Amino acid sequence: EAGVAQSPRYKIIEKRQSVAFWCNPISGHATLYWYQQILGQGPKLLIQFQNNGVVDDSQLPKDRFSAERLKGVDSTLKIQPAKLEDSAVYLCASRGTAAFSEQFFGPGTRLTVL
Amino acid sequence: DQQVKQNSPSLSVQEGRISILNCDYTNSMFDYFLWYKKYPAEGPTFLISISSIKDKNEDGRFTVFLNKSAKHLSLHIVPSQPGDSAVYFCAASALQTSYDKVIFGPGTSLSVIP
């Protein structure tokens, strides 16, 4: 079974630039998550999708962050414009429908904003 | 407001000895707890979980203990091996109120010394 795929793995941009991350979840997983992990902290949920609908985006900075999951499969997360404090690893995870099933994480995208 | 706390940022243990990683939580609505392991440049991977109806769950060398009255859980690794060196995240969810939203702690970095 293929895991969660993310690209790019690394990205360096200057502040005020835009950046986009892509995630392909495990086939058949209806739930998809985007997390932000700042160095020394645990992953923080940014947005959760159920199929192509948003379940929770309460911690997404909507003035600069946006995410979509067209057709309920792949997802993209965009930051526009980026700030220095956005430097972090952005993790995508997906989860199946069985009760008590765990989330499967991708390798993450390490973003550095200069 | 940190709902899931891991007060030890790091831990060093000799190979073959027991590793004990601790986690405290504040939200009494949490009813499902998970431990994830993370190697550098990889996403977190699920390790073991426990439901609030249990006080212990075992999987090979890994055992998780839950003390609901103290709002405390711990992960025991016996015997510890060098390959166990990683960051361990404690995570919690309130399945009855916020289906599959998971709150992560800040992590504990475990080093197993050969």
Side-chain angles (χ1 to χ4, degrees), chain A residues 1 4 7 11 13 19 21 23 26 28 31 44 46-47 53 65-66 70 76 95 99 103-104 109:
Chain A
E1 179 183 72
V4 177
S7 67
K11 190 73 177 179
I13 62 173
V19 64
F21 313 126
C23 172
I26 291 174
T31 310
K44 183 186 85 171
L46 291 175
I47 188 167
F65 286 64
S66 64
L70 300 176
T76 56
R95 181 181 179 278
Q103 298 178 24
F104 292 84
T109 297

Side-chain angles (χ1 to χ4, degrees), chain A residues 9-10 31 33 35 37 40-43 45 48 56 58-59 91 95 97 100 102-103 105-107, chain B residues 31-32 34 36 38 41-46 49 51 89 95 99-107:
Chain A
R9 292 295 311 275
Y10 305 91
T31 310
Y33 311 81
Y35 290 89
Q37 186 184 5
Q41 299 180 21
L45 180 69
Q48 176 182 340
D56 185 346
S58 57
Q59 297 201 78
L91 294 161
R95 181 181 179 278
T97 53
F100 297 106
E102 73 272 20
Q103 298 178 24
F105 283 83
Chain B
D31 54 12
Y32 189 56
L34 310 94
Y36 282 82
K38 185 181 184 303
E42 295 183 13
T45 55
F46 170 74
S49 63
S51 165
F89 292 103
L95 293 181
Y99 175 70
D100 83 358
K101 177 176 179 176
V102 175
I103 308 296
F104 285 84

Side-chain angles (χ1 to χ4, degrees), chain B residues 40-105:
Chain B
E42 295 183 13
T45 55
F46 170 74
L47 190 58
I48 192 169
S49 63
I50 188 167
S51 165
S52 59
I53 61 173
K54 294 185 174 182
D55 55 17
K56 177 183 174 180
N57 189 26
E58 208 169 338
D59 184 2
R61 298 185 296 114
F62 302 91
T63 303
V64 57
F65 296 92
L66 174 62
N67 182 334
K68 281 196 303 181
S69 60
K71 294 191 178 70
H72 176 83
L73 62 155
S74 60
L75 174 68
H76 292 211
I77 307 173
V78 183
S80 300
Q81 299 174 354
D84 297 330
S85 296
V87 176
Y88 289 79
F89 292 103
C90 174
S93 65
L95 293 181
Q96 293 187 39
T97 57
S98 56
Y99 175 70
D100 83 358
K101 177 176 179 176
V102 175
I103 308 296
F104 285 84

Side-chain angles (χ1 to χ4, degrees), chain B residues 10-58:
Chain B
S10 62
L11 176 68
S12 288
V13 171
Q14 285 290 133
E15 180 179 4
R17 306 293 290 268
I18 183 171
S19 294
I20 300 176
L21 293 89
N22 293 304
C23 176
D24 296 288
Y25 60 96
T26 57
N27 189 340
S28 58
M29 298 301 294
F30 287 147
D31 54 12
Y32 189 56
F33 304 89
L34 310 94
W35 285 93
Y36 282 82
K37 179 167 80 170
K38 185 181 184 303
Y39 292 119
E42 295 183 13
T45 55
F46 170 74
L47 190 58
I48 192 169
S49 63
I50 188 167
S51 165
S52 59
I53 61 173
K54 294 185 174 182
D55 55 17
K56 177 183 174 180
N57 189 26
E58 208 169 338

